[in-house]
Amino acid sequence: MTLEAFSDGLLQWTVRLAGLFWLVGAFMLFRQIGAEMALDSITAKLEKTARDLEREALESGELEKPVIHKTETREKTDRWADRDDAARRGWIAGQAVVLAATALAMILLHSFAAWMVALLVAGQGVNFFWREHAARRAPPAEAAAHARPSASTINAGWVSLVIAMLVWSAAFRGLLN
């Protein structure tokens, strides 16, 4: 076995293992999105129930003044955060679909993996710019910090770029079918 054949085989298996890693990551993203949606639903129901109970207590005379005091600024911030979270979640779901398709192409060493990984990396770049833009438009500073990409998201972007370079190297060497 020559050194070139060995390195080709090693690169192919590295691409396949990275594809398996990404496939697991895609399923974890879908799971995270489902959990966030469930928590949002539970939170909305709890807030509605609290408002209904407060209104009933005020109407019956059990309470003299409202218990929950939300300022107009807080209401505005909450509405902005809800819309932003829904948009972010939708983007993540789309990226998770691309991630799963890319992972399958990588596992199969399909030539389409080179294009899919480019789409994935470009999508992450767009996400970083979009999140920074959203942070600059956020009403208060706490919402701006929430809107920016986390350190783990930035690290995932760097890892994706490294994996993309491996896939592109495999494509350049003719190792993808």
Side-chain angles (χ1 to χ4, degrees):
M1 175 182 279
T2 66
L3 183 60
E4 185 177 349
F6 176 76
S7 68
D8 286 350
L10 183 63
L11 184 57
Q12 285 178 322
W13 280 105
T14 303
V15 168
R16 283 183 173 132
L17 287 174
L20 183 61
F21 172 70
W22 274 0
L23 190 60
V24 170
F27 287 120
M28 297 298 285
L29 281 174
F30 287 127
R31 192 170 147 220
Q32 173 191 348
I33 292 166
E36 286 181 11
M37 290 173 67
L39 285 174
D40 284 351
S41 174
I42 291 169
T43 303
K45 288 177 185 176
L46 284 173
E47 286 177 352
K48 182 184 179 308
T49 303
R51 283 191 306 271
D52 292 346
L53 288 173
E54 180 182 19
R55 188 186 71 245
E56 289 174 11
L58 285 170
E59 289 173 356
S60 69
E62 293 175 21
L63 284 178
E64 295 178 16
K65 60 183 181 176
V67 176
I68 300 173
H69 297 285
K70 270 194 175 179
T71 64
E72 186 177 322
T73 305
R74 185 65 192 170
E75 284 285 335
K76 181 180 176 185
T77 301
D78 286 349
R79 282 193 307 272
W80 182 88
D82 289 344
R83 284 192 312 272
D84 185 64
D85 282 345
R88 181 186 54 80
R89 196 175 301 120
W91 179 265
I92 290 172
Q95 284 290 94
V97 170
V98 173
L99 183 64
T102 305
L104 290 174
M106 289 168 60
I107 290 170
L108 298 173
L109 294 176
H110 195 279
S111 60
F112 199 55
W115 295 101
M116 292 296 291
V117 79
L119 179 64
L120 186 69
V121 169
Q124 286 178 331
V126 167
N127 182 47
F128 291 147
F129 284 110
W130 172 49
R131 299 312 307 153
E132 184 60 34
H133 178 70
R136 291 173 191 251
R137 293 181 318 147
E142 67 188 38
H146 174 73
R148 284 194 170 83
S150 65
S152 62
T153 302
I154 293 169
N155 291 340
W158 285 112
V159 169
S160 295
L161 192 57
V162 168
I163 292 173
M165 289 188 179
L166 288 172
V167 171
W168 293 328
S169 295
F172 180 74
R173 293 177 74 173
L175 302 176
L176 302 180
N177 305 327

